[in-house]
Amino acid sequence: MLQAAQASIAVGSQVWVEDPDEAWIDGEVIKVNGDTVTVKCSNDKTVTAKSANVHAKDPEEAPCGVDDMTKLAYLHEPGVLKNLKSRYDMNEIYTYTGNILIAVNPFRRLPHLYDTQMMQQYKGAGFGELSPHPFAVADVAYRLMLNEGISQSILVSGESGAGKTESTKMIMRYLAYMGGKAASEGRTVEKQVLQSNPVLEAFGNAKTVRNNNSSRFGKFVEIQFDQRGRISGAAVRTYLLERSRVCQISDPERNYHCFYMLCAAPPEERERYKLGDPRTFHYLNQSNCIKLEGLDESKEYLETRKAMDIIGISSEEQEAIFRVVAAILHLGNVEFAEGDDADSSKPKDEKSLFHLRTAAELFMCDENALKDSLCQRIIVTRDENIVKTLDPEAAKGSRDALAKTVYSRLFDWLVNKINNSIGQDPDSKCLIGVLDIYGFESFKTNSFEQFCINLTNEKLQQHFNQANFNLYFCFLQHVFKMEQEEYTKEEINWSYIEFIDNQDVLDLIEKKPGGIISLLDEACMLPRSTHETFAQKLYQTFKNNKRFTKPKLSRSDFTICHYAGDVTYQTELFLDKNKDYVVAEHQALLSASKCAFVSGLFPLLSEDSSKSSKFSSIGSRFKQQLQSLLETLSATEPHYIRCVKPNNLLKPAIFENQNVLQQLRCGGVMEAIRISCAGYPTRRTFYEFIDRFGILAPDVLSGSSDEISAVRRLLEKVDLQGYQIGKTKVFLRAGQMAELDARRNEVLGRSASLIQRKVRSFLAQKSFIALRRSALQIQTVCRGELARRVYHNLRREAASLKIQTLYRMYTARKAYNELSASAVTIQSGLRGMCARKELHFRRQTRAAIVIQSRCRQFLARLNYSRTKKAAITTQCAWRGKVARKELRKLKMAARETGALQAAKNKLEKQVEELTWRLQLEKRMRADLEEAKSQENAKLQAALQEVQQQYKETKDMLVQEREAAKKAADIAPVIKEVPVIDTELMNKLRDENDKLKTLVSSLEQKIDDTEKKYQETSKISEERLKQAMDAETKIVDLNMAMLRLQEKISTMESEEKVQRQALLSTPVKSMSEHLSIPIAPKNLENGYHEVEEHKEPQSAPPAIKEYGNGDPKLRKSGVDRQLENVDALIDCVGKNLGYCAGKPVAAFTIYKCLLHWKSFEAEKTSVFDRLIQLIGSAIENEDDNDNLAYWLSNTSSLLFLLQRSLKAAGAPGSLSRKKPPQPTSLFGRMAQGLRSASFANMHVEATDVVRQVEAKYPALLFKQQLTAYVEKIYGIVRDNIKKELSSLISLCIQAPRTMKASMLRVSGRLSGQSQSQSNHWQKIIESLDKLLRILQDNHVPPVLAQKIFTQIFSYVNVQLFNSLLLRRECCSFSNGEYVKAGLAELELWCAKATTEYAASSWDELKHIRQAVGFLVIFQKFRISYDEIVNDLCPILSVQQLYRICTQYWDDKYNTQSVSSDVLSNMRVLMTEDSNSAESSSFLLDDNSSIPFSVDDITNSMQEKDFSDLKPAEELLENPAFQFLQD
């Protein structure tokens, strides 16, 4: 193997060499000298190293790494380290090693990786099918437990700060998601399990040097499941809480979180516990670190209280818990000074006494007893009890011992309370355990806690060797087991591999007698022992042990050589921390506490048990707990998660190679690599092997059609030894892959030289041809230039002759034009002067005439105005006299309006008489058919008489008004007499002046008269309006009469039984017109039962007698209505088909409900019957044809109801009781007669939809029908989604393509291609089938559009999410395959037309742009702006980054985008990392209802139902004859 590795290293090879700073660094071999090679590293350094210390580098490794490190071509330390770093740089923090998950802590929140949508993606997915994730490990464990009935365990390991706690939380969240109950009330088991985490973290986690939230205890959570896979119980086991942290912390660490939370509690609680700034408490101020950046202690306190509520801790218990926590803080502030006696102590000052008093109050114990328990010890002898005082140092130790004991008991109580609250299922047969325990620790100062932690790892390592299990190295056995299973599966010869045994380290620590723990227990039992004597005992006992050494510069430290490295321990506190006993005084003090909670933490022990108790130590108890844990884990199937901390700065985007490599070594990953390398570490499928190394022997492959024989002949051709060929893979020894790569590089080098030679020949020939073409071109240009010069000279000569000719012609023409212009100018000047003289003379003459005419006009106008003024004055005086006379006449006319009132009263009396007479006439016609015609004639005559009287009255009124108007307009005609006498005119002017005063007074009186006239006119108009109301009543009476005539004619054509059943109809109509209140009693099955009512005293006896008729007639009507409803339900329950493209059943139901007036009923059961019919008809949710039929019917019926129903009192509701107001009296009468005769006939004959005032049952039926439309729509949509789900998962699988030139298996490849295309063809067939069903059932196109839009959106989401979650799908060939399938979908959309497909094609925009990006060549030349703005504008940065990093070209071996583009994306992602929404890269499937009732209404028209015929089966029933109208 070493020789093969050395043979593969040649000049120009890419290799890895060791580097003191970077651990491993890549470079190129520039010189080989025997077993020494010289490498030029990528950092421009030149390094010389041994061949054995150099590892080959894969030149074709993916820049983004691989998600499973077993796929690496070279499985060695630098390869593993490089792969983890590459993935970490791309925020890919999870990587598989077989079925082991390696998690690198990102030190920042990535919420999009852990949301519910991500859990849904991993639910049921095969392991390795999606990207590495803790959800995948948890899902595998859950599926194995459910299918095989075997308990599982998930072991989360890693050093402090590696993210073990967070990984454990994610696993428990996923198990709660899978095993939680869908509908439960109160506190469920899964909620309590999840909420136990924040409680235990608050009391068991603290900040350390390496981690801000380090678990200072081990935790094993057992989640129990029932047979259905639901969580039925749980239990939490804890191990080795670090008690010493309560009293002693080092800088910059912190104490447990609960102390700081309580100090940040609300003010009232802090005041209750007498707390303040954490810096004032001794147990907290030993470190300068008080606050954690980004952590809100007050918020965490409230969250912890909320979690306590969920897991079942009552408010009283919570108060007691935090009272104990506060008491511990106060206890730490009690300081001691020397007492009055020797070797005695007492509280130092008043401050200490205050804290002592406060601690006693919080513990609810006696203050003096507490002080005595801290400062004294009672030694019990046979004869008496001896009180021994303690010095201040011993009292301080007693105080700290009490604080540690109380806190330890409190933590144990919390764990027991959580277990009791959650409850365990005794009937559970299976469980999943999640282990979160401390990793291997080696600090600057290592005490007893680190000793126990490292013992845990050594013990588990030893368990791995003996029982095939380990926490950190347990997965090594699992790796080996997988190796052996794969070798057996592939029929490969193998032999077992030896493992490193660490039994000697375990013997050193825990052997009885003589182990370190035994010696420590012995030292603890001796009263005079100190840590120095204990250290000396260790030195003497283990001086010859190779695993134990003594540091040179220390007298009490010792070093143990662990499997993960040497650790030096300081023994100063070993004895104190190992003692596990409670001081009797402390036990007695707190047992007597008045607080039941505190006394419960320290139950009283019986005398016998206290006397018989033996010495107990922490180390011994921890060994027992560890043994119990190993026994539990041995009974489960293990799964592993190895957490890695990338740097010690606890900051993101920093990857320290040395640190990570040390963790990989300590965590066993390198040991797993050693195991793999001992066997066949490199394995490739036949296709991958031939694709990579087929160029080594192309002649071998040309005539072969079998992959196995082709691979065997290829390996024989290259003379490779030690390999093995399995059923599906080639297994190579370590170094053989490098050897094959070296030979491949040689072949590629020779091929490159040949290509270069051919290219250089081609370039030289091309250069010669270009040179010769250039020479010919130069010659051609020179000859052309000479010819152009000769031609230019000839043109110059011809141009000069032409210029001379034109110049002479121009000179002659210019002289002639100047002479002609001078003559014309002289002539025009003379003629103008003569014309101006003539014009001046004419203007003077015209001005004189105008002056004369204006003077004569002024004189005439002055004379006329004076005459006119005198005449007007005279006329005004006369008209005033006439106006006073007219005023007197108007007053007389106003007194005569009483006559009009009398006429109105007489008319009203006649109307009432006529009304009662009409009622009696109608009743007589119903009883006596022989007298119908005569009575009708009488009514007609009476009506005409009333009309004539009214007309005459109106004419009289009009005549009176006209006469009054004429009288007002008549005025005496004053003839103008020519004035001859001037003196008379003067007298008239004087009299006119005198009359002006009289005219003004008359005008005032006239204004007053006009006001009185207007008031009188208003009174007349009001009376006229009352007359018009009487007119309206007459019109209503005429309408009622005509409706009665229609109904009477219908009654004549029916049989005698039908006539009796319909007798109630005219009575109801008469009662409506007579305003008799009839209250509906019960309305059932579409039948209206009328309650008996009291008739008014003025009603005729005939009407009263009819109202008290036989109730049997009404009862028979109810039974007949019930039969009609049953007939309707039986008929529409069948498939009635369609007429004119509309469902017959929906139209039939609507016509029946409209005729029965069910919409206007206050109570009816017909709607319930219809809803039950629809519900029973769609019980079979798999029959899309039946569902489409009912979707068409329900949507059409919903359209009719939407257009027809109006809520009572709505502004759009129609009222047929009041016809529209006509403009005049005769217009109203004519309109009333016409509307009464034809209104009902027109509505029933031509209108398909009639608006009615709907009552509550009808409106409720409409809402229920809307819900059923949405339900049927959702069922049809979900059915097609289920059908397409499996096909889509097959379509996204990366198609396996092979080069036809290799194996000549074109037949098989074509069959495989045909199989792949069949998946898309099946999707097209499913869509075609659904489209035919929707078209055959005439489903409204708007619903079909929404269905296909959501289906295409679902296809987009599934394809796109699978592309992001599966790296093998982000390949060039898969992009071509999916693009071809999308082209078929585009053709289908065009075939389906926009009427049904609408914008479905646009829903595939994400997958279209992603696939379009995959099949682009030369991606490394594309800039970030081009990608975002041109190629993929709809994709987010997170989505683009994931596609770019996962892309691999399996066809042309092209590169992805450049590193600059990836850097830009990474910067933008970092800026948006705090937003969960922006960090998410997966799409959500929209399952909402994307339409409303208005959408359905707007897509149909009433005229579509005009030619629709009802069900023929009902037309044969006489009770449904109304459907034929």
Side-chain angles (χ1 to χ4, degrees), residues 320-498:
I321 289 171
F322 287 105
R323 190 189 307 118
V324 171
V325 174
I328 293 174
L329 288 178
H330 286 290
L331 195 63
N333 279 11
V334 178
E335 298 180 0
F336 299 95
E338 294 184 357
D340 299 334
D341 300 331
D343 295 334
S344 64
S345 59
K346 62 179 180 179
K348 184 177 180 180
D349 48 21
E350 287 297 328
K351 181 180 176 182
S352 298
L353 286 173
F354 167 77
H355 287 290
L356 180 68
R357 189 180 308 110
T358 304
E361 291 175 359
L362 295 174
F363 281 136
M364 290 189 181
C365 63
D366 184 66
E367 177 185 353
N368 294 326
L370 176 60
K371 182 180 69 172
D372 293 341
S373 67
L374 297 178
C375 299
Q376 297 177 1
R377 285 290 180 270
I378 300 177
I379 301 175
V380 180
T381 62
R382 292 183 179 180
D383 300 332
E384 59 180 347
N385 294 338
I386 302 174
V387 178
K388 177 186 177 183
T389 59
L390 302 178
D391 58 15
E393 193 64 28
K396 179 182 176 183
S398 177
R399 176 200 67 186
D400 293 343
L402 176 60
K404 290 188 291 185
T405 302
V406 171
Y407 193 83
S408 177
R409 294 286 182 93
L410 175 62
F411 187 79
D412 293 340
W413 182 91
L414 280 172
V415 173
N416 293 332
K417 182 64 178 179
I418 291 172
N419 291 334
N420 295 334
S421 177
I422 296 174
Q424 301 188 41
D425 184 8
D427 300 328
S428 176
K429 302 298 182 183
C430 298
L431 62 86
I432 295 180
V434 182
L435 179 63
D436 175 14
I437 202 166
Y438 16 65
F440 183 85
E441 293 186 353
S442 177
F443 302 141
K444 184 177 180 181
T445 301
N446 300 287
S447 188
F448 182 72
E449 289 80 12
Q450 283 70 41
F451 179 76
C452 293
I453 289 171
N454 294 337
L455 169 62
T456 303
N457 292 274
E458 289 288 354
K459 187 67 177 177
L460 293 175
Q461 170 69 8
Q462 185 264 349
H463 181 73
F464 157 71
N465 292 334
Q466 294 183 353
N468 297 333
F469 185 82
N470 178 33
L471 174 58
Y472 280 95
F473 287 99
C474 58
F475 64 86
L476 297 182
Q477 173 63 20
H478 200 69
V479 170
F480 185 49
K481 181 180 179 182
M482 289 190 303
E483 294 285 315
Q484 296 170 348
E485 287 178 354
E486 185 163 9
Y487 294 163
T488 303
K489 175 183 174 182
E490 297 285 342
E491 298 181 358
I492 299 298
N493 296 326
W494 56 274
S495 59
Y496 285 98
I497 303 168
E498 296 295 330

Side-chain angles (χ1 to χ4, degrees), residues 1087-1150:
Y1087 175 75
H1088 300 228
E1089 185 176 350
V1090 181
E1091 203 179 53
E1092 293 185 0
H1093 55 273
K1094 295 183 179 180
E1095 297 289 336
Q1097 295 181 359
S1098 61
I1103 297 178
K1104 294 180 181 179
E1105 182 180 352
Y1106 183 80
N1108 298 326
D1110 189 0
K1112 293 182 179 180
L1113 297 177
R1114 295 194 299 272
K1115 185 176 181 181
S1116 62
V1118 174
D1119 296 338
R1120 198 157 54 80
Q1121 286 292 332
L1122 290 172
E1123 294 175 358
N1124 293 343
V1125 172
D1126 293 338
L1128 174 64
I1129 296 298
D1130 294 340
C1131 178
V1132 299
K1134 306 172 185 177
N1135 192 335
L1136 300 180
Y1138 305 89
C1139 178
K1142 298 297 177 184
V1144 176
F1147 183 71
T1148 304
I1149 293 172
Y1150 173 75

Side-chain angles (χ1 to χ4, degrees), residues 1273 1331 1334-1335 1340-1353 1385-1404 1408 1490:
Y1273 171 89
L1331 180 59
L1334 297 179
Q1335 290 176 339
V1342 64
L1343 297 183
Q1345 292 174 7
K1346 300 298 183 181
I1347 289 177
F1348 286 115
T1349 299
Q1350 288 197 316
I1351 289 174
F1352 273 69
S1353 176
L1385 291 180
E1386 185 178 11
L1387 293 177
W1388 183 89
C1389 290
K1391 179 181 177 182
T1393 70
T1394 57
E1395 182 181 5
Y1396 290 96
S1399 60
S1400 301
W1401 175 245
D1402 295 335
E1403 297 297 325
L1404 300 175
R1408 283 162 46 198

Side-chain angles (χ1 to χ4, degrees), residues 653-669:
I654 299 177
F655 193 90
E656 298 176 353
N657 291 349
Q658 292 285 8
N659 185 23
V660 173
L661 186 60
Q662 178 63 24
Q663 293 178 67
L664 295 177
R665 290 169 178 170
C666 296
V669 177

Side-chain angles (χ1 to χ4, degrees), residues 324 344 420 568 570 583 653 774 799 894 1040 1087 1118 1160 1194 1249 1257 1374 1383 1462:
V324 171
S344 64
N420 295 334
T568 300
Q570 288 73 36
V583 178
S774 300
Y1087 175 75
V1118 174
E1160 305 172 40
T1194 52
V1249 178
N1374 189 65
L1462 289 177

